[in-house]
Structure formats: C-alpha cells, structure tokens
Amino acid sequence: MSASLAPECNDVKERYDTCFLKWYSEKYLRGSDRENQDCAELFKNYQSCLKVALNERGINKLVEEAREDNKDNDVRLLSPPKK
Amino acid sequence: MVLQHSTTHTYSHPFPTVTLAYFLRYSSPRLNPFATHVLSTDTISSHVDPETQRLHTTRIHLKKSRMPGAVYKLLPTSMTGGGSGDKSSYVLETSIVDIREGWMSTESRNLNFTGVLSVVERQHFAIPTNRGITSETDVTTTVNFRSRIGEKLRDKFGQAQAQSDGWFFSGWGAKRIGSTIESLASNKTQDQMGKSRDGMRLVLERIRNTGMIGVLETLRRERQIQA
C-alpha cells in the first residue's frame, strides 16, 4: 500500500485503506450498505494522526485556498452529468 | 492565459472496476509501475451523501514534480527557490462516484507552485449510454494549464516599470513567459497522460486476473516485505 505523507501514520493509514477498499468493492459497488460504518473508527484514528502533519506542513492552508478558488467547480462536480 | 486540451478514451472494463482502479492506481508500484513518481497518498475526507448515495472522496498525493526543467530555467530563482526542478508537489484530488447513475467525476489540481503554473485535470468516467455496452467505460479527460507568472511579475515590478520598453518581464514579455510555461507543461502532460492510461490498464488487468481479494493480498504481502 502506498505510504502516508506522514510516516508515523503509515500503520493507521494502511488499516483504513484496506478497510475502505474492502467496503468499496464488496459493499458500495454492489449496492448494499452505502454508509461506510465499517471503517469509521479506523478513519478517525487515521485522521487524528494525519491532522498534525497537515498542519505542520501548512497543507491544510493550501487545501483551504484551493477550495476557495474552486467553488464553481464544486457546483459543476455536484451537478448530474450531461447526457 | 489558459491552455486546455481534452481527450477521450474507452476502457474495455466495466464501470465499477474502473472506479476501483482509480482508487488503486497509486497504491503500489507492483500494481502500477507507472506510478513510481507518487511518493504518498492520503485520504482527508470520505463520505456517502445520504440523499444521493454518492461517494465523495478527497485525497492528497505527493508527487515528484512533473514541471519540466525548462520551466525552471525560465524563472528567476526567487520564484522557484533554485534547483533543477527536482521538487515535489502536493496534488489535491476530489472525486464523486454515483454508482446508481453510473458515473464518476474527478478533479486533480496542484497545491503548490500555483503562482508559476496551475494544472487542473478533470476526468469523467461513465457507462457508454449511446452504445449500451456495460463491459466498457468511457472517459473524457480535460486538462487546463494556467500560468499567472505574467500577472505576478507585472505586479511585482509595478505598472510604470512594466510599461517601459525593453524590460524583460514587461508587457508581451511577461505574457510570453506565461504561455511558454503553459505549452511546455502541456507537452509534458500529453506524454504523461499516455503513461497514466497504461497504469490504469495494468491495474484493471490485475483486478480482472486475480480479483479484488488477490489485489489486496498483493498489497499486504508487499507491505510485509517492506516491514
């Protein structure tokens, strides 16, 4: 599995990724259990680890700026596709 | 100054598999040898909209910079921090999967160096509605290149100076640098897009041959070797 940008989060990331891929392929794609409760706890652990690194490296700020810059695109992405 | 190009492609794999390959495409160099430039991948948000059942995912990838060396040579070191262009850049990837309607929309944009060049790649994957073939998936890719370097330099040196003749970064000079950067990046990206398609195709083959369980097993074993 690919690494996390924060090496100290590799383990929790790995566990979450594995869970996500299993849920996605076995449940979401098959139309059952669309809520991903299976991985919620793992995601929380992963995020509390990752958050520190994102703040330290100023990545949070870059993401916010990109989102501000990008409101129009959100509208586009959220609208149904053109047939 | 904006440069855009679009391509379309058809994968001979069903739509659900293609969306899975999209999430897996950077997960391991053994699955995808064309992704060795990706240093890390992290998910920062993931949720299913309770009304639409769409899966919204945001990830951050750290990639070895794809900015061509020639771009760096064009720029003052005060803007690039020097070096040969061998830098890493963060990429923000947002995606939405609608499994009921059968489409996936994605967007990737660079988070740093945006003052020099911003690249936004959008992809739309869908079951081919006109042909009604569920074993294939159409994808449209659009990439936008925008360099604000001209504007930046004009701001930096002030309007008065920018209007004086002969100043390298003034008027058309600044504009030309912007569009040169856009076209250099665009050429490089066209090479890269072929590779990214090849990478997707390898991941898709892997899923077809060994199934998802087999893919997860490969990833797990690789991790054990590293540990």
Side-chain angles (χ1 to χ4, degrees):
Chain A
M1 206 69 82
S2 55
S4 169
L5 62 90
E8 64 275 18
C9 305
N10 274 344
D11 276 352
V12 275
K13 173 196 144 63
E14 159 100 8
R15 259 175 267 157
Y16 168 73
D17 277 355
T18 308
C19 182
F20 171 82
L21 291 169
K22 231 170 124 49
W23 168 80
Y24 186 74
S25 54
E26 289 173 11
K27 294 184 176 165
Y28 184 79
L29 288 182
R30 289 178 190 179
S32 70
D33 187 30
R34 291 261 157 86
E35 281 293 307
N36 187 356
Q37 292 304 330
D38 303 15
C39 312
E41 196 60 32
L42 292 171
F43 189 67
K44 231 169 77 185
N45 294 342
Y46 172 31
Q47 293 308 299
S48 65
C49 180
L50 188 63
K51 212 168 58 188
V52 182
L54 291 178
N55 278 326
E56 272 174 8
R57 302 192 194 188
I59 301 167
N60 270 353
K61 219 176 136 248
L62 292 174
V63 172
E64 264 166 49
E65 284 169 11
R67 282 191 173 143
E68 269 310 301
D69 208 34
N70 203 24
K71 292 228 163 107
D72 297 346
N73 292 323
D74 287 346
V75 174
R76 182 193 57 81
L77 273 172
L78 288 166
S79 61
K82 291 179 214 105
K83 290 273 159 83
Chain B
M1 282 182 270
V2 179
L3 190 67
Q4 183 185 73
H5 64 79
S6 299
T7 54
T8 57
H9 181 70
T10 301
Y11 288 108
S12 53
H13 295 262
F15 171 73
T17 317
V18 172
T19 66
L20 182 58
Y22 185 86
F23 287 122
L24 278 168
R25 75 197 192 290
Y26 297 147
S27 62
S28 148
R30 283 182 65 180
L31 269 187
N32 179 5
F34 293 97
T36 46
H37 64 292
V38 181
L39 305 172
S40 74
T41 288
D42 283 281
T43 305
I44 58 167
S45 76
S46 169
H47 73 275
V48 177
D49 186 309
E51 258 176 55
T52 61
Q53 309 290 320
R54 290 174 188 163
L55 172 67
H56 296 244
T57 309
T58 311
R59 302 196 294 180
I60 292 177
H61 309 295
L62 181 59
K63 297 184 180 182
K64 278 186 203 151
S65 181
R66 283 164 44 189
M67 214 182 282
V71 169
Y72 277 80
K73 290 197 190 115
L74 276 172
L75 300 171
T77 43
S78 64
M79 292 199 105
T80 61
S84 58
D86 189 22
K87 296 267 189 316
S88 309
S89 66
Y90 290 106
V91 173
L92 183 70
E93 174 203 282
T94 48
S95 63
I96 301 174
V97 181
D98 191 318
I99 196 67
R100 286 193 304 194
E101 294 177 1
W103 56 266
M104 178 183 203
S105 261
T106 69
E107 183 189 280
S108 296
R109 54 169 59 223
N110 59 314
L111 285 176
N112 38 8
F113 304 121
T114 50
V116 179
L117 176 72
S118 101
V119 181
V120 181
E121 182 194 76
R122 300 191 181 107
Q123 291 191 292
H124 189 82
F125 300 87
I127 298 166
T129 43
N130 52 346
R131 308 195 293 282
I133 307 167
T134 53
S135 60
E136 290 183 354
T137 306
D138 286 343
V139 56
T140 309
T141 306
T142 309
V143 191
N144 275 291
F145 301 89
R146 181 171 187 214
S147 178
R148 290 188 178 124
I149 193 90
E151 302 158 32
K152 286 239 164 177
L153 291 167
R154 269 196 300 275
D155 290 350
K156 202 168 165 182
F157 294 106
Q159 237 7 71
Q161 217 171 354
Q163 277 160 9
S164 74
D165 285 336
W167 182 252
F168 179 58
F169 287 136
S170 72
W172 286 106
K175 236 179 224 169
R176 206 172 306 134
I177 290 177
S179 45
T180 305
I181 290 172
E182 286 162 4
S183 69
L184 282 168
S186 165
N187 292 343
K188 173 119 188 199
T189 297
Q190 291 186 32
D191 292 351
Q192 203 69 40
M193 274 167 70
K195 285 183 195 158
S196 115
R197 235 175 3 229
D198 291 342
M200 277 288 283
R201 213 174 290 133
L202 283 176
V203 177
L204 285 164
E205 288 302 319
R206 217 26 173 328
I207 298 172
R208 176 180 280 168
N209 294 340
T210 66
M212 190 51 210
I213 305 279
V215 170
L216 282 174
E217 185 60 22
T218 306
L219 296 175
R220 196 183 59 81
R221 247 182 282 139
E222 184 189 352
R223 180 100 176 111
Q224 280 175 341
I225 294 164
Q226 285 168 352

